[in-house]
Amino acid sequence: MTVSREVELSGHIIDSGMMQSCFVAIMDLGGSFEVEEFRVGRTEVEESYARLTVLADTEDDLRSIVHELHQNGANPSHPVDASLDPAPDDQVVPPDFYSTTNHPTDVRHDGEWVTVERIEMDCAVVVEENESRSDSTASGERSEPRAADDSSDGVRAYTKVLNAIEEGDLVVTGETGIRVRPPERPRGREGAFGFMQGGVSSERPSKSTISKVADAIAETKREGGSVLAVCGPALIHSGAREALARLVREGYVDMLSAGNGFAVHDLERDVYGTSLGMDTETLDHPRKGHKHHIYTISQVIRAGSIRDAVEQGLVESGVMYECVTNDRPFVLAGSIRDDGPLPDTMTDAVEAQNAIREQAHEADMVLMLSTLLHSVAVGNCLPSSTRVICVDINPATVTQLLDRGSAQAVGMVTDVGTFVPILAEQLLDE
């Protein structure tokens, strides 16, 4: 005896690969399907629609298939309200809680779709009756804006990481009443973002691709968007420091996310002219150069902070200098291997993660520059609608980012010491 469920797909489901992904998922998980209705969009703007009956041998098998389809944008044909269960304790979610993707998501409550705020992967969804919002709206006070398709008055749905769950939070459980909307691949390639089709390549013509990245950054800024740079120490070591500092100074980089090592290398370059003991211009290793980084850390600690070091004249150039003097916010997230660390480095992992999360949700475009761990950390906090460029000389860094769920990222396998100066040249000198 078989069990079945009806699901539907809509949008640009053919050229985005959504329909193919769903068919493959059904077969890989041992199920079968029948296409009940299929309408093909015949123009670039017309959407397609498919309604499928999915069949499996057992209810558990069907649940696994439907879960996989759900992640790929297939939704039940006849949705019901989402199931809500109270959290039994702080940091404890109910069994079978819904774990989010990074795609735009809605939950159904009292027969209406409510858009989930601050979407990111691997979170729980909390629904609350926000009576104060309805009261303030009725009294004429300004209320927070809601998404266009959120027609459920006084109801909010938003993500929470597990350590932020509070006892009594109404948490979405199961798979019913949830609608996922993966970003669709654009049909046309015109415009600054036309090249951003995902994937990784070391064979793309670097200069022409960097030119397109520059156009995308410029368009983001023209539209009033924010650009976040996620940087590794290799950027300083490879000689791209001055180019990135220019981008920060001229407003093409609005925020910085990095680790203790990046800031130390950058500050050491100003104080001693070296990065990890090496002169990045002559490639010489000065006497006692291996101690320069720890001397730099001690001087900044003595000053009180990076800002204090800038204001006292200890630091007079570089990326961190430009962040301070131009009020560009930065997050330095520490690790177990950090020397010092600098006084600005967050050594509490949860505190650092929350700070990164705030940056990620504010960013409209992210440049990930030669850092695996920070790229994955920031990528985990990003909604899939945020444009991402990942640059690294090691292809494994770029592919791991995509494998971890940041499928919207465009990967360039190239030297960051070449990429950033050419990018700055394209944006600032042409």
Side-chain angles (χ1 to χ4, degrees):
M1 181 179 176
T2 60
V3 289
S4 64
R5 189 81 50 82
E6 193 176 82
V7 299
E8 58 186 13
L9 301 89
S10 61
H12 299 307
I13 61 177
I14 301 173
D15 47 352
S16 69
M18 184 192 300
M19 188 167 68
Q20 180 184 358
S21 297
C22 289
F23 287 170
V24 170
I26 294 170
M27 293 182 287
D28 284 350
L29 292 173
S32 60
F33 61 89
E34 296 176 1
V35 179
E36 306 292 350
E37 184 179 357
F38 186 30
R39 299 193 302 269
V40 179
R42 301 183 183 277
T43 68
E44 286 193 353
V45 296
E46 187 179 356
E47 296 184 345
S48 301
Y49 172 85
R51 181 164 53 85
L52 315 176
T53 298
V54 182
L55 302 101
D57 292 333
T58 68
E59 190 63 43
D60 286 343
D61 291 341
L62 182 61
R63 189 178 299 112
S64 297
I65 294 171
V66 170
H67 173 80
E68 190 67 25
L69 295 179
H70 185 260
Q71 309 301 300
N72 285 282
N75 296 293
S77 298
H78 307 289
V80 296
D81 282 356
S83 299
L84 303 176
D85 291 311
D89 204 345
D90 290 350
Q91 301 186 7
V92 179
V93 290
D96 197 31
F97 77 99
Y98 174 72
S99 178
T100 57
T101 70
N102 60 352
H103 301 315
T105 301
D106 309 308
V107 296
R108 196 171 179 85
H109 183 75
D110 286 342
E112 303 286 350
W113 288 108
V114 182
T115 298
V116 178
E117 303 168 16
R118 298 175 64 83
I119 192 67
E120 62 179 275
M121 68 177 71
D122 301 332
C123 291
V125 175
V126 172
V127 174
E128 67 176 32
E129 296 280 354
N130 195 346
E131 294 180 3
S132 60
R133 175 183 295 185
S134 298
D135 294 342
S136 64
T137 302
S139 63
E141 298 178 17
R142 183 176 179 181
S143 61
E144 293 295 321
R146 290 202 308 267
D149 59 349
D150 178 3
S151 57
S152 185
D153 289 336
V155 177
R156 288 183 63 208
Y158 53 92
T159 58
K160 270 194 175 184
V161 292
L162 298 193
N163 62 45
I165 291 292
E166 299 175 277
E167 181 180 358
D169 279 347
L170 290 178
V171 179
V172 175
T173 57
E175 301 285 344
T176 60
I178 303 164
R179 182 172 66 187
V180 176
R181 296 175 279 123
E184 296 177 348
R185 183 180 304 160
R187 291 190 167 194
R189 293 178 177 265
E190 66 282 354
F193 294 97
F195 78 103
M196 297 188 70
Q197 305 299 317
V200 181
S201 176
S202 58
E203 299 178 354
R204 294 188 178 114
S206 292
K207 192 163 185 178
S208 61
T209 303
I210 296 172
S211 178
K212 293 174 181 176
V213 173
D215 290 342
I217 293 173
E219 182 172 315
T220 298
K221 297 304 299 176
R222 283 195 301 272
E223 294 174 350
S226 296
V227 178
L228 168 65
V230 183
C231 306
L235 187 147
I236 306 298
H237 211 56
S238 64
R241 171 180 180 262
E242 283 67 31
L244 182 61
R246 289 181 68 199
L247 292 174
V248 174
R249 181 169 62 250
E250 299 300 329
Y252 287 102
V253 169
D254 301 280
M255 301 173 285
L256 179 77
S257 180
N260 186 71
F262 172 85
V264 171
H265 283 218
D266 174 67
L267 298 167
E268 178 195 337
R269 182 73 179 86
D270 181 77
V271 176
Y272 291 100
T274 59
S275 171
L276 204 60
M278 183 191 77
D279 188 312
T280 57
E281 293 183 2
T282 66
L283 304 185
D284 292 334
H285 288 77
R287 185 172 177 270
K288 293 188 178 180
H290 62 286
K291 297 184 178 182
H292 286 175
H293 75 287
I294 201 69
Y295 289 164
T296 300
I297 294 170
S298 69
Q299 291 185 57
V300 176
I301 292 174
R302 192 176 300 117
S305 68
I306 295 174
R307 176 172 291 278
D308 291 331
V310 170
E311 293 175 350
Q312 294 170 25
L314 173 64
V315 177
E316 298 180 335
S317 70
V319 180
M320 303 311 301
Y321 171 85
E322 297 296 346
C323 285
V324 169
T325 57
N326 293 284
D327 293 321
R328 313 284 188 234
F330 59 86
V331 172
L332 303 179
S335 74
I336 195 67
R337 64 186 184 278
D338 286 338
D339 291 325
L342 291 164
D344 302 81
T345 300
M346 296 181 181
T347 56
D348 184 304
V350 174
E351 178 190 4
Q353 187 183 83
N354 288 335
I356 287 172
R357 181 169 287 111
E358 291 303 314
Q359 284 189 322
H361 283 282
E362 186 177 342
D364 297 287
M365 185 173 182
V366 181
L367 300 175
M368 298 180 171
L369 305 172
S370 196
T371 170
L372 172 59
L373 296 181
H374 283 271
S375 293
V376 171
V378 174
N380 285 353
C381 298
L382 290 172
S384 61
S385 54
T386 303
R387 296 149 174 153
V388 178
I389 307 291
C390 183
V391 180
D392 204 290
I393 197 67
N394 183 359
T397 297
V398 189
T399 54
Q400 184 166 344
L401 177 69
L402 270 65
D403 290 344
R404 290 279 300 172
S406 300
Q408 78 274 27
V410 172
M412 281 191 66
V413 181
T414 191
D415 176 25
V416 73
T418 300
F419 175 87
V420 177
I422 294 177
L423 180 65
E425 179 184 315
Q426 294 280 346
L427 283 167
L428 301 172
D429 298 337
E430 292 188 359

